[in-house]
């Protein structure tokens, strides 16, 4: 619920009190004696979901931005009339949806000052880079907690639906600056780490699990980003804390940005390319989910004549986001298909080899090693371990299993066969 205080302009007292009486709202009227163009201050409680329609009615009778309208949280209101008002609006409006005025205020509050935003983004990116190089999920998660990236995404899209060009431009600018700073600071830090020999030498950074996860994104990455954006809308429009959702959004943005920097520092362009695609898909998907969610929940500009402009801008921006995501999704689709085909090929190799070895020999393990590329890897070597009883003659399986592996892989792969003696318990 909310407690509202409004300065009533001279000549508007009866109209304002009439609106409150018609809505069944209890109020307190205080005379304004400062001699200005206001006649009184009216204070009244309303349910959260009633705030926007009540403010719209008051705006229609002459309450505008020239005076003060103050809205604060109210923990408890004890009044039978207020209970009736809650029941009335519970049937008509979403109980958790905050008013447009609160939405814009909250979105503006989420956008930090430039100095703090830049500093926290740089610190977050450096910590994420350290966590990736150390292959430490805990450190990577810790970097996301301090990343201030939720504010700009919310600000830009709230500005779109309420037709506030300044808010939209500020949000877009902060997103671009934040991601640029994250990549630049990660690159500089990774270069320092590499050339100062802070960690053991890495010939291939994709050998690190945390980095490898961000190099070859698939369609599940798209789902994660869309989910993060949708959760951001829910938290923003329901008035609850956005801190945890901010971590989720940072999950989709900070580690890929840090991976780009690592790829640049190690001179591995495919690492930077894969993570750059992931970063772009994530930031576009988050913005798309936020924009669609805000428009779906019915947020519109304050004045009706702005609604057409807001609708046009929203449709255009949704179109740009969707087209951009579809273009980048070609890469995601290729990676997803490649992952599926690679898993299928490895399974076919294992099954073919196991079926080709007759007792008393048995296949203990089949290890498929792929080409040393960041993405779109191909099988290059198969290591087969065959178990034999102590008294069994060693069969010559290398050529036979190599043919099986070549056929399953659709290309020439090197095959090694290791024999071990297996004691069997009777």
């Amino acid at each position: 619920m909310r407690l509202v205080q409004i300065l009533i302009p001279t000549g508007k007292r009866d109209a304002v009190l009439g609106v409150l009486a018609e809505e069944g709202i209890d109020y307190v009227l205080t005379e304004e004696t400062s001699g200005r163009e206001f006649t009184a201050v009216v204070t009244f409680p309303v349910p959260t979901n009633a705030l926007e329609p009540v403010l719209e009615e008051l705006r229609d009778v002459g309450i505008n931005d020239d005076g003060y309208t103050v809205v604060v949280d109210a923990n408890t209101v004890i009044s039978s009339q207020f209970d009736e008002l809650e029941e009335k609006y519970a049937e008509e409006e979403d109980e958790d949806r905050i008013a447009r005025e609160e939405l814009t205020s909250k979105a503006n509050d989420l956008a930090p000052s430039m100095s703090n935003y830049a500093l926290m983004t740089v610190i977050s990116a450096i910590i994420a880079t350290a966590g990736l190089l150390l292959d430490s999920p805990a450190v990577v998660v810790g970097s996301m907690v301090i990343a201030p990236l939720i504010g700009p995404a919310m600000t830009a899209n709230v500005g779109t639906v309420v037709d506030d060009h300044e808010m939209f431009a500020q949000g877009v600018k902060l997103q671009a600056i934040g991601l640029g700073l994250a990549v630049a600071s990660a690159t500089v830090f990774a270069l320092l780490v590499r050339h100062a020999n802070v960690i053991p030498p890495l010939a291939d950074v994709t050998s690190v699990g945390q980095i490898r996860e961000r190099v070859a994104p698939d369609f599940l990455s798209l789902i994660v980003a869309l989910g993060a954006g949708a959760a951001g809308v829910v938290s923003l429009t329901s008035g609850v804390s956005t801190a945890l959702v901010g971590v989720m959004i940072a999950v989709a943005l900070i580690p890929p940005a840090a991976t780009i920097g690592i790829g640049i520092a190690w001179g591995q362009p495919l690492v930077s390319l894969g993570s750059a695609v992931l970063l772009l898909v994530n930031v576009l998907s988050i913005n798309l989910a936020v924009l669609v969610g805000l428009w779906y929940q019915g947020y519109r500009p304050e004045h009706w004549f702005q609604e057409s402009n807001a609708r046009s801008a929203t449709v255009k921006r949704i179109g740009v986001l969707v087209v951009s995501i579809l273009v980048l999704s070609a890469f995601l689709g290729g990676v997803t298909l490649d992952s599926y085909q690679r898993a299928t090929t490895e399974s076919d190799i294992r099954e073919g080899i196991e079926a080709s070895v007759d007792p008393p020999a048995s296949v203990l393990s089949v290890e498929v090693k792929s080409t040393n590329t960041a993405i779109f890897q191909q099988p290059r070597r198969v290591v087969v371990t065959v178990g034999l009883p102590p008294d069994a003659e060693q069969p010559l399986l290398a050529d036979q299993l190599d043919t099986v592996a070549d056929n399953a892989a659709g290309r020439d792969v090197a095959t090694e066969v290791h024999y071990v003696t297996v004691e069997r318990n009777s």
Side-chain angles (χ1 to χ4, degrees), residues 216-250:
D218 55 21
F219 276 119
L220 290 179
S221 305
L222 180 62
I223 301 302
V224 170
L226 289 172
V233 172
V234 173
S235 67
L236 183 66
T237 59
S238 61
V240 300
S241 173
T242 57
L244 291 178
V245 179
V247 174
M248 185 63 187
I249 287 177

Side-chain angles (χ1 to χ4, degrees), residues 52-102:
E52 187 170 1
V54 169
L55 290 181
E56 286 180 356
E57 291 188 50
L58 292 173
R59 194 175 293 111
D60 291 340
V61 298
I63 299 299
N64 52 40
D65 297 340
D66 294 336
Y68 286 105
T69 298
V70 180
V71 180
V72 296
D73 285 330
N75 292 326
T76 305
V77 175
I78 302 175
S79 166
S80 59
Q81 193 167 347
F82 187 81
D83 292 339
E84 293 175 3
L85 189 63
E86 281 189 309
E87 292 177 6
K88 170 185 174 183
Y89 278 96
E91 298 173 358
E92 299 178 4
E93 305 284 347
D94 181 356
E95 292 184 44
D96 295 324
R97 182 181 183 275
I98 64 175
R100 176 183 57 247
E101 290 79 4
E102 288 184 286

Side-chain angles (χ1 to χ4, degrees), residues 358-362 386-395 420-424:
D358 298 323
S362 62
V386 176
L388 294 170
D391 55 348
E393 182 179 350
Q394 180 174 302
V420 297
T421 300
V422 179
E423 296 284 350
R424 300 187 183 277

Side-chain angles (χ1 to χ4, degrees), residues 344-362:
T344 302
T345 299
E346 291 180 5
S347 177
D348 291 343
I349 291 173
R350 289 189 177 93
E351 291 177 0
I353 288 175
E354 289 172 357
S356 300
V357 177
D358 298 323
S362 62

Side-chain angles (χ1 to χ4, degrees), residues 120-369:
M120 294 298 287
T121 300
V122 169
I123 293 173
S124 175
I126 289 174
I127 295 174
T129 305
L132 292 171
L133 291 171
L134 292 171
D135 200 16
S136 171
V139 176
V140 175
V141 170
S143 71
M144 302 167 191
V145 175
I146 62 175
L149 299 179
I150 184 173
M154 299 299 147
T155 302
N157 294 289
V158 169
T160 296
V161 297
V162 301
D163 197 33
D164 188 327
H165 299 292
E166 184 178 348
M167 182 182 290
F168 167 75
Q170 177 73 357
V172 171
K173 182 178 76 171
L174 285 175
Q175 287 185 81
I177 291 174
L179 297 178
L181 280 174
V183 172
S185 54
T187 301
V188 172
F189 180 73
L191 284 168
L192 290 174
V193 168
R194 182 185 182 190
H195 294 292
N197 297 318
V198 175
I199 61 173
L202 279 175
D204 178 17
V205 292
T206 59
S207 62
V208 181
Q210 286 293 312
I211 297 175
R212 186 168 57 249
E213 290 178 10
R214 275 85 188 183
V215 173
D218 55 21
F219 276 119
L220 290 179
S221 305
L222 180 62
I223 301 302
V224 170
L226 289 172
V233 172
V234 173
S235 67
L236 183 66
T237 59
S238 61
V240 300
S241 173
T242 57
L244 291 178
V245 179
V247 174
M248 185 63 187
I249 287 177
V251 167
L253 300 180
I254 289 296
T259 306
I260 295 173
I262 292 172
I264 295 172
W266 258 262
Q268 294 185 233
L270 285 179
V271 171
S272 296
L273 173 63
S275 49
V277 171
L278 176 60
L279 178 63
L280 288 174
V281 167
N282 285 350
V283 72
L284 293 172
S285 300
I286 289 169
N287 279 273
L288 177 63
V290 173
L291 185 53
V292 171
L294 289 171
W295 190 262
Y296 175 78
Q297 292 199 33
Y299 287 103
R300 300 294 185 270
E302 177 180 336
H303 302 291
W304 64 267
F305 54 81
Q306 293 179 295
E307 188 168 329
S308 177
N309 292 335
R311 182 185 297 107
S312 176
T314 300
V315 170
K316 288 178 182 178
R317 287 165 191 168
I318 287 176
V320 170
L321 290 171
V322 169
V323 170
S324 301
I325 291 170
L326 288 176
V327 170
L328 292 172
S329 292
F331 181 85
L332 300 184
V335 172
T336 302
L337 179 61
D338 176 67
S339 298
Y340 172 78
Q341 290 176 337
R342 187 166 66 249
T344 302
T345 299
E346 291 180 5
S347 177
D348 291 343
I349 291 173
R350 289 189 177 93
E351 291 177 0
I353 288 175
E354 289 172 357
S356 300
V357 177
D358 298 323
S362 62
V363 177
L364 301 182
S365 68
V366 178
E367 182 182 2
V368 181
K369 298 186 178 181

